[in-house]
Amino acid sequence: IPNFWFAVLLVLVFAVQLGWFSAGGFPGWSESPGGAFKALVLPAIAVTVIQAFTVAVFFTHVKIKSANL
């Protein structure tokens, strides 16, 4: 699944349906540091989760390949 599709799914679930995060906008650090941090959590998760799975799959294949030598 591409990163942008995963990000859209996260926004649909956690911002639109559950209302835990905002679907867009950034309140700014001076107005609300907690709100600014909360606005950055969902994009950070969207970027890192797919990359972490990609790295995990890569290292799993390397481990299996090295074990079969």
Short mmCIF file of all heavy atoms in Angstrom, two decimals:
data_model
loop_
_atom_site.label_atom_id
_atom_site.label_comp_id
_atom_site.label_asym_id
_atom_site.label_seq_id
_atom_site.Cartn_x
_atom_site.Cartn_y
_atom_site.Cartn_z
N ILE A 1 0.86 -1.18 0.00
CA ILE A 1 0.00 0.00 0.00
C ILE A 1 0.91 1.25 0.00
O ILE A 1 1.81 1.35 0.82
CB ILE A 1 -0.94 -0.03 1.21
CG1 ILE A 1 -1.87 1.16 1.22
CG2 ILE A 1 -0.21 -0.11 2.50
CD1 ILE A 1 -2.99 1.04 2.23
N PRO A 2 0.68 2.16 -0.89
CA PRO A 2 1.50 3.37 -0.94
C PRO A 2 1.26 4.27 0.28
O PRO A 2 0.21 4.22 0.92
CB PRO A 2 1.02 4.08 -2.21
CG PRO A 2 0.34 3.03 -3.01
CD PRO A 2 -0.20 2.04 -2.04
N ASN A 3 2.24 5.10 0.58
CA ASN A 3 2.16 5.98 1.74
C ASN A 3 0.94 6.90 1.68
O ASN A 3 0.28 7.13 2.70
CB ASN A 3 3.42 6.84 1.85
CG ASN A 3 4.60 6.06 2.34
OD1 ASN A 3 4.49 4.89 2.68
ND2 ASN A 3 5.75 6.69 2.38
N PHE A 4 0.66 7.45 0.50
CA PHE A 4 -0.44 8.41 0.43
C PHE A 4 -1.79 7.75 0.66
O PHE A 4 -2.69 8.35 1.23
CB PHE A 4 -0.42 9.18 -0.90
CG PHE A 4 -0.49 8.35 -2.13
CD1 PHE A 4 -1.71 8.00 -2.69
CD2 PHE A 4 0.68 7.89 -2.74
CE1 PHE A 4 -1.77 7.24 -3.83
CE2 PHE A 4 0.62 7.12 -3.88
CZ PHE A 4 -0.61 6.79 -4.43
N TRP A 5 -1.95 6.49 0.25
CA TRP A 5 -3.20 5.79 0.52
C TRP A 5 -3.33 5.48 2.00
O TRP A 5 -4.41 5.57 2.58
CB TRP A 5 -3.32 4.50 -0.29
CG TRP A 5 -3.76 4.73 -1.69
CD1 TRP A 5 -3.03 4.53 -2.82
CD2 TRP A 5 -5.02 5.24 -2.12
NE1 TRP A 5 -3.77 4.87 -3.93
CE2 TRP A 5 -5.00 5.32 -3.52
CE3 TRP A 5 -6.18 5.63 -1.46
CZ2 TRP A 5 -6.08 5.77 -4.26
CZ3 TRP A 5 -7.24 6.08 -2.20
CH2 TRP A 5 -7.18 6.14 -3.58
N PHE A 6 -2.25 5.09 2.62
CA PHE A 6 -2.26 4.82 4.05
C PHE A 6 -2.60 6.09 4.82
O PHE A 6 -3.36 6.06 5.79
CB PHE A 6 -0.91 4.24 4.49
CG PHE A 6 -0.88 3.82 5.93
CD1 PHE A 6 -1.68 2.79 6.38
CD2 PHE A 6 -0.05 4.46 6.82
CE1 PHE A 6 -1.66 2.40 7.70
CE2 PHE A 6 -0.01 4.07 8.15
CZ PHE A 6 -0.82 3.04 8.59
N ALA A 7 -2.05 7.23 4.37
CA ALA A 7 -2.33 8.51 5.02
C ALA A 7 -3.80 8.88 4.89
O ALA A 7 -4.43 9.35 5.84
CB ALA A 7 -1.45 9.60 4.43
N VAL A 8 -4.37 8.65 3.71
CA VAL A 8 -5.80 8.93 3.51
C VAL A 8 -6.65 8.05 4.42
O VAL A 8 -7.62 8.51 5.03
CB VAL A 8 -6.19 8.74 2.02
CG1 VAL A 8 -7.69 8.77 1.84
CG2 VAL A 8 -5.52 9.80 1.18
N LEU A 9 -6.29 6.78 4.52
CA LEU A 9 -7.04 5.88 5.41
C LEU A 9 -6.93 6.32 6.87
O LEU A 9 -7.92 6.27 7.61
CB LEU A 9 -6.53 4.44 5.26
CG LEU A 9 -6.83 3.77 3.93
CD1 LEU A 9 -6.16 2.40 3.87
CD2 LEU A 9 -8.33 3.63 3.75
N LEU A 10 -5.74 6.75 7.30
CA LEU A 10 -5.58 7.24 8.66
C LEU A 10 -6.44 8.47 8.92
O LEU A 10 -7.07 8.59 9.98
CB LEU A 10 -4.11 7.57 8.94
CG LEU A 10 -3.17 6.39 9.13
CD1 LEU A 10 -1.75 6.89 9.33
CD2 LEU A 10 -3.59 5.55 10.31
N VAL A 11 -6.46 9.39 7.97
CA VAL A 11 -7.29 10.59 8.13
C VAL A 11 -8.77 10.21 8.19
O VAL A 11 -9.51 10.73 9.03
CB VAL A 11 -7.02 11.60 6.99
CG1 VAL A 11 -8.05 12.70 6.98
CG2 VAL A 11 -5.62 12.18 7.12
N LEU A 12 -9.20 9.32 7.32
CA LEU A 12 -10.61 8.91 7.34
C LEU A 12 -11.00 8.27 8.67
O LEU A 12 -12.07 8.55 9.20
CB LEU A 12 -10.89 7.94 6.19
CG LEU A 12 -10.99 8.56 4.81
CD1 LEU A 12 -11.13 7.47 3.74
CD2 LEU A 12 -12.15 9.52 4.73
N VAL A 13 -10.14 7.43 9.19
CA VAL A 13 -10.49 6.73 10.42
C VAL A 13 -10.34 7.63 11.64
O VAL A 13 -11.28 7.80 12.43
CB VAL A 13 -9.63 5.45 10.58
CG1 VAL A 13 -9.82 4.83 11.95
CG2 VAL A 13 -9.98 4.45 9.50
N PHE A 14 -9.14 8.20 11.83
CA PHE A 14 -8.84 8.89 13.08
C PHE A 14 -9.30 10.36 13.12
O PHE A 14 -9.52 10.89 14.20
CB PHE A 14 -7.34 8.81 13.39
CG PHE A 14 -6.90 7.42 13.72
CD1 PHE A 14 -6.17 6.68 12.82
CD2 PHE A 14 -7.23 6.85 14.93
CE1 PHE A 14 -5.76 5.40 13.12
CE2 PHE A 14 -6.84 5.57 15.25
CZ PHE A 14 -6.10 4.83 14.33
N ALA A 15 -9.43 11.00 11.96
CA ALA A 15 -9.87 12.40 11.96
C ALA A 15 -11.36 12.53 11.66
O ALA A 15 -12.07 13.24 12.35
CB ALA A 15 -9.05 13.19 10.94
N VAL A 16 -11.83 11.82 10.64
CA VAL A 16 -13.22 11.99 10.23
C VAL A 16 -14.16 11.16 11.09
O VAL A 16 -15.12 11.69 11.66
CB VAL A 16 -13.39 11.64 8.73
CG1 VAL A 16 -14.84 11.71 8.31
CG2 VAL A 16 -12.54 12.57 7.88
N GLN A 17 -13.90 9.87 11.22
CA GLN A 17 -14.83 9.00 11.94
C GLN A 17 -14.71 9.13 13.46
O GLN A 17 -15.71 9.26 14.16
CB GLN A 17 -14.64 7.55 11.52
CG GLN A 17 -15.09 7.30 10.10
CD GLN A 17 -14.94 5.85 9.69
OE1 GLN A 17 -14.38 5.04 10.42
NE2 GLN A 17 -15.44 5.51 8.52
N LEU A 18 -13.47 9.06 13.99
CA LEU A 18 -13.29 9.09 15.44
C LEU A 18 -13.16 10.50 16.00
O LEU A 18 -13.45 10.73 17.17
CB LEU A 18 -12.07 8.26 15.83
CG LEU A 18 -12.15 6.76 15.50
CD1 LEU A 18 -10.84 6.08 15.82
CD2 LEU A 18 -13.29 6.12 16.25
N GLY A 19 -12.67 11.44 15.18
CA GLY A 19 -12.51 12.82 15.64
C GLY A 19 -11.36 13.05 16.60
O GLY A 19 -11.33 14.03 17.33
N TRP A 20 -10.40 12.13 16.64
CA TRP A 20 -9.26 12.26 17.56
C TRP A 20 -8.26 13.31 17.09
O TRP A 20 -7.58 13.92 17.92
CB TRP A 20 -8.55 10.94 17.72
CG TRP A 20 -9.35 9.88 18.41
CD1 TRP A 20 -10.58 10.03 19.00
CD2 TRP A 20 -9.00 8.52 18.59
NE1 TRP A 20 -11.00 8.85 19.53
CE2 TRP A 20 -10.05 7.90 19.30
CE3 TRP A 20 -7.91 7.76 18.22
CZ2 TRP A 20 -10.02 6.57 19.64
CZ3 TRP A 20 -7.88 6.42 18.56
CH2 TRP A 20 -8.92 5.83 19.27
N PHE A 21 -8.12 13.51 15.78
CA PHE A 21 -7.18 14.46 15.21
C PHE A 21 -7.93 15.37 14.25
O PHE A 21 -9.03 15.06 13.83
CB PHE A 21 -6.07 13.73 14.44
CG PHE A 21 -5.23 12.83 15.29
CD1 PHE A 21 -5.46 11.47 15.33
CD2 PHE A 21 -4.19 13.34 16.05
CE1 PHE A 21 -4.70 10.63 16.11
CE2 PHE A 21 -3.42 12.51 16.84
CZ PHE A 21 -3.67 11.16 16.87
N SER A 22 -7.31 16.50 13.90
CA SER A 22 -7.92 17.37 12.90
C SER A 22 -7.56 16.84 11.51
O SER A 22 -6.50 16.25 11.31
CB SER A 22 -7.43 18.80 13.06
OG SER A 22 -6.04 18.88 12.82
N ALA A 23 -8.46 17.06 10.57
CA ALA A 23 -8.24 16.58 9.20
C ALA A 23 -7.29 17.48 8.43
O ALA A 23 -6.79 17.10 7.38
CB ALA A 23 -9.56 16.45 8.47
N GLY A 24 -7.03 18.67 8.90
CA GLY A 24 -6.11 19.58 8.22
C GLY A 24 -5.86 20.81 9.06
O GLY A 24 -6.53 21.06 10.06
N GLY A 25 -4.86 21.56 8.65
CA GLY A 25 -4.53 22.77 9.37
C GLY A 25 -3.46 22.56 10.43
O GLY A 25 -3.24 21.44 10.90
N PHE A 26 -2.80 23.64 10.77
CA PHE A 26 -1.77 23.60 11.80
C PHE A 26 -1.96 24.83 12.67
O PHE A 26 -1.86 25.96 12.20
CB PHE A 26 -0.37 23.61 11.14
CG PHE A 26 0.75 23.44 12.12
CD1 PHE A 26 1.01 22.21 12.68
CD2 PHE A 26 1.54 24.51 12.48
CE1 PHE A 26 2.04 22.04 13.58
CE2 PHE A 26 2.58 24.36 13.37
CZ PHE A 26 2.83 23.11 13.93
N PRO A 27 -2.25 24.64 13.98
CA PRO A 27 -2.56 25.79 14.82
C PRO A 27 -1.36 26.69 15.14
O PRO A 27 -1.54 27.84 15.50
CB PRO A 27 -3.09 25.15 16.10
CG PRO A 27 -2.49 23.80 16.13
CD PRO A 27 -2.34 23.38 14.69
N GLY A 28 -0.16 26.20 14.99
CA GLY A 28 1.02 27.00 15.29
C GLY A 28 1.52 26.73 16.70
O GLY A 28 0.74 26.43 17.61
N TRP A 29 2.81 26.83 16.87
CA TRP A 29 3.42 26.54 18.16
C TRP A 29 3.10 27.60 19.20
O TRP A 29 2.97 27.30 20.38
CB TRP A 29 4.93 26.38 18.01
CG TRP A 29 5.31 25.19 17.22
CD1 TRP A 29 5.77 25.17 15.95
CD2 TRP A 29 5.26 23.82 17.65
NE1 TRP A 29 6.00 23.87 15.54
CE2 TRP A 29 5.71 23.03 16.57
CE3 TRP A 29 4.87 23.18 18.81
CZ2 TRP A 29 5.76 21.64 16.63
CZ3 TRP A 29 4.94 21.80 18.88
CH2 TRP A 29 5.38 21.05 17.80
N SER A 30 2.96 28.85 18.78
CA SER A 30 2.71 29.93 19.74
C SER A 30 1.28 29.91 20.26
O SER A 30 1.02 30.27 21.41
CB SER A 30 3.02 31.28 19.12
OG SER A 30 2.21 31.49 17.98
N GLU A 31 0.33 29.50 19.44
CA GLU A 31 -1.07 29.46 19.88
C GLU A 31 -1.34 28.28 20.81
O GLU A 31 -1.93 28.45 21.87
CB GLU A 31 -2.00 29.34 18.68
CG GLU A 31 -2.12 30.59 17.86
CD GLU A 31 -3.11 30.43 16.73
OE1 GLU A 31 -4.08 29.65 16.90
OE2 GLU A 31 -2.91 31.07 15.70
N SER A 32 -0.91 27.10 20.40
CA SER A 32 -1.21 25.89 21.18
C SER A 32 -0.14 24.85 20.93
O SER A 32 -0.21 24.12 19.94
CB SER A 32 -2.59 25.35 20.77
OG SER A 32 -2.81 24.11 21.36
N PRO A 33 0.87 24.76 21.80
CA PRO A 33 1.90 23.75 21.60
C PRO A 33 1.35 22.32 21.59
O PRO A 33 1.77 21.49 20.81
CB PRO A 33 2.85 23.96 22.77
CG PRO A 33 2.61 25.35 23.23
CD PRO A 33 1.17 25.63 22.94
N GLY A 34 0.37 22.05 22.44
CA GLY A 34 -0.25 20.72 22.45
C GLY A 34 -1.02 20.44 21.17
O GLY A 34 -0.96 19.34 20.63
N GLY A 35 -1.72 21.44 20.69
CA GLY A 35 -2.46 21.29 19.44
C GLY A 35 -1.54 21.14 18.24
O GLY A 35 -1.83 20.39 17.31
N ALA A 36 -0.41 21.86 18.28
CA ALA A 36 0.57 21.74 17.19
C ALA A 36 1.18 20.35 17.19
O ALA A 36 1.35 19.73 16.12
CB ALA A 36 1.65 22.80 17.34
N PHE A 37 1.52 19.84 18.37
CA PHE A 37 2.07 18.48 18.45
C PHE A 37 1.04 17.46 17.99
O PHE A 37 1.36 16.53 17.25
CB PHE A 37 2.51 18.18 19.89
CG PHE A 37 3.09 16.82 20.05
CD1 PHE A 37 4.37 16.53 19.60
CD2 PHE A 37 2.36 15.80 20.64
CE1 PHE A 37 4.90 15.26 19.73
CE2 PHE A 37 2.88 14.54 20.79
CZ PHE A 37 4.16 14.27 20.33
N LYS A 38 -0.20 17.64 18.39
CA LYS A 38 -1.27 16.73 17.99
C LYS A 38 -1.48 16.76 16.48
O LYS A 38 -1.80 15.74 15.86
CB LYS A 38 -2.55 17.12 18.71
CG LYS A 38 -3.67 16.13 18.59
CD LYS A 38 -4.85 16.55 19.43
CE LYS A 38 -6.01 15.62 19.24
NZ LYS A 38 -7.17 16.02 20.01
N ALA A 39 -1.28 17.93 15.85
CA ALA A 39 -1.43 18.04 14.40
C ALA A 39 -0.31 17.32 13.65
O ALA A 39 -0.48 16.97 12.48
CB ALA A 39 -1.47 19.51 13.99
N LEU A 40 0.82 17.09 14.30
CA LEU A 40 1.95 16.43 13.65
C LEU A 40 1.99 14.92 13.86
O LEU A 40 2.74 14.22 13.18
CB LEU A 40 3.26 17.04 14.15
CG LEU A 40 3.49 18.50 13.78
CD1 LEU A 40 4.77 19.01 14.43
CD2 LEU A 40 3.55 18.67 12.28
N VAL A 41 1.21 14.41 14.78
CA VAL A 41 1.26 12.98 15.10
C VAL A 41 0.77 12.12 13.94
O VAL A 41 1.44 11.16 13.54
CB VAL A 41 0.44 12.69 16.38
CG1 VAL A 41 0.27 11.20 16.60
CG2 VAL A 41 1.10 13.32 17.58
N LEU A 42 -0.37 12.44 13.39
CA LEU A 42 -0.95 11.62 12.31
C LEU A 42 -0.07 11.59 11.06
O LEU A 42 0.18 10.51 10.52
CB LEU A 42 -2.36 12.09 12.00
CG LEU A 42 -3.28 11.12 11.28
CD1 LEU A 42 -3.44 9.83 12.06
CD2 LEU A 42 -4.64 11.76 11.06
N PRO A 43 0.46 12.73 10.58
CA PRO A 43 1.38 12.66 9.43
C PRO A 43 2.65 11.88 9.73
O PRO A 43 3.16 11.16 8.88
CB PRO A 43 1.70 14.13 9.13
CG PRO A 43 0.58 14.89 9.70
CD PRO A 43 0.11 14.13 10.90
N ALA A 44 3.17 11.99 10.95
CA ALA A 44 4.38 11.25 11.31
C ALA A 44 4.12 9.75 11.28
O ALA A 44 4.95 8.97 10.79
CB ALA A 44 4.87 11.68 12.68
N ILE A 45 2.99 9.34 11.79
CA ILE A 45 2.63 7.91 11.76
C ILE A 45 2.47 7.44 10.32
O ILE A 45 2.93 6.36 9.96
CB ILE A 45 1.35 7.66 12.58
CG1 ILE A 45 1.63 7.87 14.06
CG2 ILE A 45 0.81 6.26 12.33
CD1 ILE A 45 0.41 7.83 14.93
N ALA A 46 1.82 8.24 9.50
CA ALA A 46 1.59 7.86 8.10
C ALA A 46 2.89 7.67 7.34
O ALA A 46 3.01 6.78 6.51
CB ALA A 46 0.74 8.92 7.40
N VAL A 47 3.89 8.47 7.64
CA VAL A 47 5.17 8.37 6.94
C VAL A 47 6.00 7.21 7.46
O VAL A 47 6.63 6.49 6.69
CB VAL A 47 5.95 9.70 7.07
CG1 VAL A 47 7.36 9.55 6.57
CG2 VAL A 47 5.24 10.80 6.32
N THR A 48 6.01 7.00 8.76
CA THR A 48 6.93 6.02 9.34
C THR A 48 6.45 4.58 9.30
O THR A 48 7.28 3.67 9.19
CB THR A 48 7.25 6.39 10.80
OG1 THR A 48 6.04 6.47 11.55
CG2 THR A 48 8.00 7.69 10.88
N VAL A 49 5.16 4.34 9.38
CA VAL A 49 4.69 2.95 9.49
C VAL A 49 5.00 2.15 8.23
O VAL A 49 5.54 1.04 8.30
CB VAL A 49 3.17 2.92 9.81
CG1 VAL A 49 2.59 1.54 9.61
CG2 VAL A 49 2.94 3.38 11.22
N ILE A 50 4.69 2.69 7.07
CA ILE A 50 4.96 1.97 5.82
C ILE A 50 6.46 1.77 5.64
O ILE A 50 6.91 0.69 5.21
CB ILE A 50 4.34 2.72 4.62
CG1 ILE A 50 2.82 2.79 4.76
CG2 ILE A 50 4.73 2.05 3.31
CD1 ILE A 50 2.12 1.45 4.73
N GLN A 51 7.25 2.77 5.96
CA GLN A 51 8.71 2.64 5.83
C GLN A 51 9.25 1.59 6.80
O GLN A 51 10.16 0.84 6.45
CB GLN A 51 9.39 3.99 6.06
CG GLN A 51 9.03 5.03 5.03
CD GLN A 51 9.38 4.61 3.63
OE1 GLN A 51 10.37 3.96 3.39
NE2 GLN A 51 8.53 4.98 2.68
N ALA A 52 8.71 1.54 8.00
CA ALA A 52 9.15 0.53 8.97
C ALA A 52 8.82 -0.88 8.48
O ALA A 52 9.64 -1.80 8.62
CB ALA A 52 8.49 0.78 10.32
N PHE A 53 7.64 -1.06 7.89
CA PHE A 53 7.30 -2.37 7.34
C PHE A 53 8.21 -2.74 6.18
O PHE A 53 8.62 -3.89 6.04
CB PHE A 53 5.84 -2.41 6.87
CG PHE A 53 4.85 -2.52 7.99
CD1 PHE A 53 3.68 -1.78 7.96
CD2 PHE A 53 5.08 -3.34 9.07
CE1 PHE A 53 2.76 -1.88 8.99
CE2 PHE A 53 4.17 -3.45 10.10
CZ PHE A 53 3.01 -2.71 10.06
N THR A 54 8.56 -1.76 5.34
CA THR A 54 9.46 -2.02 4.22
C THR A 54 10.83 -2.46 4.71
O THR A 54 11.40 -3.43 4.19
CB THR A 54 9.59 -0.75 3.36
OG1 THR A 54 8.28 -0.35 2.93
CG2 THR A 54 10.45 -0.99 2.15
N VAL A 55 11.35 -1.78 5.70
CA VAL A 55 12.66 -2.15 6.26
C VAL A 55 12.58 -3.53 6.92
O VAL A 55 13.50 -4.35 6.78
CB VAL A 55 13.14 -1.08 7.25
CG1 VAL A 55 14.36 -1.54 8.03
CG2 VAL A 55 13.44 0.22 6.51
N ALA A 56 11.49 -3.81 7.63
CA ALA A 56 11.35 -5.11 8.29
C ALA A 56 11.30 -6.25 7.27
O ALA A 56 11.93 -7.30 7.47
CB ALA A 56 10.09 -5.12 9.15
N VAL A 57 10.58 -6.05 6.18
CA VAL A 57 10.51 -7.08 5.13
C VAL A 57 11.88 -7.27 4.50
O VAL A 57 12.30 -8.40 4.25
CB VAL A 57 9.44 -6.71 4.08
CG1 VAL A 57 9.56 -7.58 2.84
CG2 VAL A 57 8.07 -6.82 4.68
N PHE A 58 12.58 -6.18 4.25
CA PHE A 58 13.91 -6.28 3.66
C PHE A 58 14.85 -7.08 4.55
O PHE A 58 15.54 -8.00 4.08
CB PHE A 58 14.49 -4.88 3.42
CG PHE A 58 15.92 -4.88 2.99
CD1 PHE A 58 16.26 -5.25 1.70
CD2 PHE A 58 16.93 -4.54 3.87
CE1 PHE A 58 17.59 -5.27 1.30
CE2 PHE A 58 18.25 -4.55 3.48
CZ PHE A 58 18.58 -4.92 2.20
N PHE A 59 14.89 -6.76 5.84
CA PHE A 59 15.79 -7.48 6.74
C PHE A 59 15.36 -8.92 6.94
O PHE A 59 16.20 -9.80 7.15
CB PHE A 59 15.91 -6.75 8.08
CG PHE A 59 16.83 -5.57 8.01
CD1 PHE A 59 16.37 -4.30 8.26
CD2 PHE A 59 18.17 -5.74 7.68
CE1 PHE A 59 17.20 -3.21 8.19
CE2 PHE A 59 19.02 -4.65 7.61
CZ PHE A 59 18.55 -3.38 7.87
N THR A 60 14.07 -9.20 6.84
CA THR A 60 13.62 -10.59 6.93
C THR A 60 14.12 -11.38 5.73
O THR A 60 14.60 -12.52 5.88
CB THR A 60 12.08 -10.63 6.98
OG1 THR A 60 11.64 -9.88 8.12
CG2 THR A 60 11.59 -12.06 7.10
N HIS A 61 14.04 -10.81 4.55
CA HIS A 61 14.54 -11.48 3.36
C HIS A 61 16.05 -11.68 3.43
O HIS A 61 16.57 -12.73 3.02
CB HIS A 61 14.18 -10.69 2.09
CG HIS A 61 12.74 -10.79 1.73
ND1 HIS A 61 12.13 -11.98 1.39
CD2 HIS A 61 11.78 -9.86 1.64
CE1 HIS A 61 10.87 -11.78 1.12
NE2 HIS A 61 10.62 -10.48 1.26
N VAL A 62 16.78 -10.70 3.93
CA VAL A 62 18.23 -10.82 4.06
C VAL A 62 18.58 -11.93 5.05
O VAL A 62 19.47 -12.73 4.81
CB VAL A 62 18.85 -9.47 4.50
CG1 VAL A 62 20.30 -9.65 4.93
CG2 VAL A 62 18.74 -8.45 3.39
N LYS A 63 17.83 -11.99 6.15
CA LYS A 63 18.08 -13.03 7.16
C LYS A 63 17.80 -14.41 6.59
O LYS A 63 18.57 -15.35 6.81
CB LYS A 63 17.21 -12.76 8.38
CG LYS A 63 17.46 -13.69 9.53
CD LYS A 63 16.60 -13.32 10.70
CE LYS A 63 16.79 -14.29 11.83
NZ LYS A 63 15.93 -13.98 12.99
N ILE A 64 16.70 -14.56 5.87
CA ILE A 64 16.36 -15.86 5.27
C ILE A 64 17.41 -16.25 4.22
O ILE A 64 17.83 -17.40 4.16
CB ILE A 64 14.95 -15.82 4.66
CG1 ILE A 64 13.91 -15.74 5.77
CG2 ILE A 64 14.70 -17.02 3.77
CD1 ILE A 64 12.51 -15.47 5.29
N LYS A 65 17.81 -15.28 3.40
CA LYS A 65 18.79 -15.57 2.36
C LYS A 65 20.13 -15.96 2.96
O LYS A 65 20.80 -16.88 2.47
CB LYS A 65 18.95 -14.36 1.45
CG LYS A 65 19.77 -14.63 0.24
CD LYS A 65 19.78 -13.44 -0.70
CE LYS A 65 20.60 -13.76 -1.93
NZ LYS A 65 20.62 -12.65 -2.88
N SER A 66 20.55 -15.28 4.02
CA SER A 66 21.83 -15.61 4.64
C SER A 66 21.77 -16.96 5.38
O SER A 66 22.78 -17.64 5.50
CB SER A 66 22.28 -14.51 5.59
OG SER A 66 21.41 -14.43 6.69
N ALA A 67 20.62 -17.34 5.85
CA ALA A 67 20.47 -18.63 6.53
C ALA A 67 20.50 -19.80 5.56
O ALA A 67 20.88 -20.91 5.91
CB ALA A 67 19.17 -18.68 7.33
N ASN A 68 20.14 -19.54 4.30
CA ASN A 68 20.12 -20.59 3.28
C ASN A 68 21.45 -20.76 2.55
O ASN A 68 21.52 -21.54 1.62
CB ASN A 68 19.01 -20.32 2.27
CG ASN A 68 17.64 -20.52 2.87
OD1 ASN A 68 17.47 -21.28 3.81
ND2 ASN A 68 16.65 -19.80 2.34
N LEU A 69 22.46 -20.02 2.93
CA LEU A 69 23.75 -20.15 2.26
C LEU A 69 24.32 -21.47 2.62
O LEU A 69 24.86 -22.28 2.30
CB LEU A 69 24.69 -19.02 2.68
CG LEU A 69 24.30 -17.64 2.17
CD1 LEU A 69 25.28 -16.63 2.72
CD2 LEU A 69 24.35 -17.60 0.65
#
